Amino acid sequence: MQIPKIGSATAWHVNRHLGAFHRCVAGTIARFPFYEEDEEDRFQGVADELRRLLAALDATALADKGLWETLCDDVAMGDYANWEEE
């Protein structure tokens, strides 16, 4: 479970168990970089691909307002482009 801030009564689902979390993290890292900053036409497709990957690794991963669904929404908005450090 993810608890958004200390003392919060709200908790959001992450994964079914620690092994599933590890697989989802490893799969997400292996898929990065998702796209380049100028590839807006790929944002939604990559998010859909990531959702399929995560669902295959843990059927519970895409729970509403959960960690992974939120990440996929951010990917669809272009928040995870391949940034180059300068």
Side-chain angles (χ1 to χ4, degrees):
M1 301 299 284
Q2 173 191 14
I3 299 174
K5 61 184 175 181
I6 296 173
S8 176
T10 302
W12 293 308
H13 182 74
V14 178
N15 287 102
R16 160 179 47 205
H17 51 71
L18 188 57
F21 176 72
H22 181 264
R23 288 190 301 272
C24 288
V25 169
T28 301
I29 290 170
R31 178 59 185 83
F32 194 82
F34 301 125
Y35 39 67
E36 299 298 326
E37 286 188 30
D38 60 349
E39 295 181 323
E40 290 85 6
D41 58 321
R42 297 194 59 224
F43 293 173
Q44 186 61 52
V46 170
D48 293 342
E49 180 184 324
L50 189 56
R51 284 185 179 95
R52 286 189 297 274
L53 170 68
L54 293 166
L57 296 171
D58 178 1
T60 72
L62 297 177
D64 186 45
K65 296 183 183 174
L67 174 79
W68 299 111
E69 180 57 28
T70 302
L71 174 74
C72 290
D73 289 345
D74 292 345
V75 169
M77 290 187 289
D79 289 347
Y80 287 91
N82 184 22
W83 308 289
E84 293 292 328
E85 296 285 329
E86 292 184 30

